[in-house]
Amino acid sequence: MLEIENLAVEVEGKTILENINLRVNKGELHAIMGPNGSGKSTLAYAIAGKGGYVIRNGKILLDGEDLTRLEPEERALKGIFLGFQEPPPLPGVKLSTLIVAALNKRRGVKDLTKLSSMRDYKAILEGLEKVGLSKSYALREANVGFSGGEKKRAEILQAMLLDPKIVILDEPDSGLDVEGVAKIAEIIGELRGEGKGLLVITHYARIFKHIKPDKVSILVNGKIVAKGGGELAYKVDDEGYKSFS
Amino acid sequence: MTTNNAEELLSAYSPEDVLGYAKPVKTSLIIKGKLSRGIVEEISRAKKEPGWMLRLRLRALELFEKLPTPNWVIGLEELDLEELAYYVRPDVKEPAVTYEDLPPEIRDYYDKLGIPEMEAKLLSGITFQFESETVYHKAKETLEKKGVIMLPMEEAVIKYPDLVKQYFSKIYPIADHKFAALHYALWSGGAFVYIPKGVKVTEPIEAFFLIGQSLEGQFEHSLIIADENSYLHFIEGCSAPMLKRYSFHDGAVELYAHGGSAIKFTTIQNWSKNVVNFNNKRGIAEENARIDWIEGGLGSRITYTYPSSILKGANSSSSSIVIQMSKGPYVKDSGSKMYHLAPNTRSKIINKSISVDGGVNIYRGLVKINKGAVKARSHVECQSLILDDHSYAYTYPHNQVEEPSAIITHEATTGRIGEEQLFYLRQRSLTEQEATSLIAIGFIEDVMKDMPFEYVNILRKVIEIEFSKVGGLG
């Protein structure tokens, strides 16, 4: 369970988020919706511990443990996964090498880049098929020359394989066609079914046509201005954010 | 390599860690003092070499005295030739043919470098130079059966004077620059290889050079001649233990690839951090011949190396792949040179450098296409990876094209590891150092496939270890 209490976040001396209170339970899909510049990605980065995102107030708790002062890699090992809105290209680093390194790190294997079990490789290949990427992507350089949609598929693939407790997805459907969005939604549903907590950050409710969120929080100008059930997502879709500001 | 040796080598931080502090090794002759005719004559006498070689040395000494210090040489403030021993003969009467015959101190270095295992598994011949002389030399029977001549350089001068005279200093000219002249005045050691027509040597031949003491000069000279339609892969390894003060390496390599032959020349340079390193390499390719240079530069205080190919015959080709890593207050000054003299000649230069912790990498390359080298092609790729804001990479590519039908393509990129990449990998649970090493290994991954497997493993490990603070990853 992820709990965010009274969080205030500053970037370059400017307050971006204030008084954020959220809770993502196990097996629950929580949507954060808001217009551009409302601080959605800042929230994702602050939870993951990105440098420069200064937590001025409040706490981030995972299963009761305070993560607020931990390094990004420590938070990741505790079970926080962030699917990036724009994952950076990693020239020379194969997608499979990246995943193998992350898996080995979690198991305490010293040689990070060495495949420790053929099962891992098999899981990567099956995962690729599932997210709609061809097997050859295992040997492609991660995020290099990937289209927007391919990047999103590779991010959700990692969410599946790294077995985190909390999956934060920042705009998981941008750049995807209808079929792709449906696929991502299906995988989100499965992750929820496995008991993971999901925090899905999005501007549009497009993905929620395929999967209904359990909770919705509306973020405008760095503050949560409304909270509700899944229906709230469809209301935003019909009316936009005007009524909340 | 046995597991023990491999592990020791791999878990070490640097050659100093593998080889430890320099240990005293018995010597039977040391020549030092103010550089003069007398010194050169003394070296020649010690080697009992023919008059023509002494004359070549003396001509080189004159040129050394006349030639100016090249303006591209930086960082030699400490180098004082008068302090150096120009010639150090270890107390070994003749090159050992069995490894048990080596003096135990030398054998210890040899063991620590894992050379006996590599010899057994990988190589068809090996020559091991300690200080100024070859101390161990062995060619497998298969080489002899094929008519391959493989000898310590001075033995070849005596046994095959006509063959040596025909090529020695004809490929890498004495007057090329001041330190080339110095090399020819003082040269000692190195390997001579001749591959007869049509003979393909499938297992590599390796030469290993070790400097054992401070304030010593090593000037080995290797000459490789591939006769028509032959093939050879030659590997050169360099290392030194921890030295109290600097030492100076000024070696030379000459390759001659006759029609239709191919020579692949790999250098793994891992001098300790106190070695000033000049590595003068040049090859000539006749019609349809090919020369491939591969160099991985890890160690040394400062390195100057410019593998060069002269594409003399039509349809000849050459590639040069150089990977340099400068970590700490060290400099690598390198750059490949390709001279296209004939039609349809092709060359490819790939230079990759990693600079970190104040390290500096400099690329000075040259592609020269002469008039008449019709439809010559060259591709140059320089990629620099800079890992922090106090490390540097400079690229000075130079093209001279006199043939209108020739095409040169050039790509240069300088990259820094982005904050975004580091954060992304840390979000995937890697530490900053693990993330950096993953990106650095990725950066050179595509060129490592051209290296012998054993070396790739060592190289990967060295990089991983270089980026972790103490005692390896994890």
Side-chain angles (χ1 to χ4, degrees), chain B residues 106-375:
Chain B
I106 298 179
R107 219 166 84 186
D108 184 48
Y109 283 137
Y110 191 83
D111 279 339
K112 283 181 172 161
L113 291 164
I115 291 174
E117 289 77 14
M118 219 148 14
E119 180 190 333
K121 267 174 60 184
L122 187 73
L123 306 170
S124 62
I126 182 160
T127 185
F128 186 77
Q129 177 166 345
F130 187 75
E131 319 291 27
S132 302
E133 289 289 347
T134 305
V135 291
Y136 176 73
H137 185 89
K138 197 170 178 185
K140 283 189 183 162
E141 268 178 33
T142 49
L143 281 185
E144 273 174 52
K145 275 186 196 150
K146 287 174 170 169
V148 173
I149 303 170
M150 181 201 158
L151 289 172
M153 195 64 224
E154 17 303 84
E155 213 178 314
V157 168
I158 291 165
K159 285 191 179 156
Y160 299 93
D162 295 336
L163 194 56
V164 173
K165 253 191 236 176
Q166 205 183 327
Y167 298 94
F168 192 92
S169 82
K170 301 290 191 320
I171 303 162
Y172 204 105
I174 298 171
D176 202 78
H177 59 84
K178 193 176 181 70
F179 294 96
L182 182 69
H183 165 84
Y184 279 108
L186 300 173
W187 80 268
S188 182
F192 174 82
V193 181
Y194 169 80
I195 314 289
K197 280 181 190 169
V199 169
K200 309 246 190 296
V201 180
T202 44
E203 291 177 310
I205 291 178
E206 167 148 10
F208 208 97
F209 302 102
L210 203 102
I211 293 178
Q213 297 296 330
S214 302
L215 297 177
E216 190 189 307
Q218 192 177 57
F219 304 93
E220 91 287 346
H221 191 98
S222 291
L223 171 58
I224 294 162
I225 303 155
D227 215 328
E228 287 168 19
N229 302 313
S230 65
Y231 170 77
L232 172 70
H233 182 189
F234 192 95
I235 302 170
E236 173 188 68
C238 324
S239 205
M242 204 180 293
L243 305 173
K244 288 210 181 75
R245 291 196 57 200
Y246 70 93
S247 267
F248 181 54
H249 173 255
D250 185 14
V253 172
E254 296 187 284
L255 308 181
Y256 205 102
H258 281 278
S261 71
I263 303 174
K264 185 167 171 177
F265 194 98
T266 301
T267 301
I268 303 294
Q269 182 274 106
N270 203 6
W271 294 119
S272 54
K273 308 284 187 227
N274 251 346
V275 174
V276 174
N277 176 38
F278 274 86
N279 198 344
N280 307 295
K281 295 158 140 180
R282 188 165 302 169
I284 295 179
E286 294 276 12
E287 199 167 306
N288 293 312
R290 178 166 184 86
I291 293 174
D292 291 308
W293 301 102
I294 299 165
E295 178 155 352
L298 298 166
S300 84
R301 174 185 300 179
I302 180 158
T303 282
Y304 305 93
T305 180
Y306 316 92
S308 309
S309 297
I310 297 170
L311 300 170
K312 191 178 165 203
N315 301 309
S316 60
S317 59
S318 181
S319 73
S320 178
I321 297 170
V322 178
I323 304 169
Q324 297 288 12
M325 186 160 91
S326 293
K327 180 176 190 285
Y330 308 108
V331 179
K332 300 275 188 321
D333 193 314
S334 67
S336 309
K337 296 180 181 177
M338 296 290 175
Y339 300 87
H340 292 252
L341 312 188
N344 294 313
T345 44
R346 297 170 309 282
S347 68
K348 183 173 81 176
I349 295 173
I350 296 177
N351 190 286
K352 293 206 178 202
S353 73
I354 301 175
S355 311
V356 61
D357 283 354
V360 176
N361 280 290
I362 302 165
Y363 172 83
R364 283 175 228 274
L366 171 70
V367 176
K368 185 165 192 306
I369 301 184
N370 281 8
K371 181 112 188 92
V374 179
K375 291 190 177 163

Side-chain angles (χ1 to χ4, degrees), chain A residues 140-156:
Chain A
R140 287 272 302 265
E141 298 169 287
N143 307 319
V144 176
F146 286 19
S147 71
E150 286 167 344
K151 285 179 182 168
K152 294 300 147 78
R153 291 176 201 263
E155 290 295 286
I156 197 102

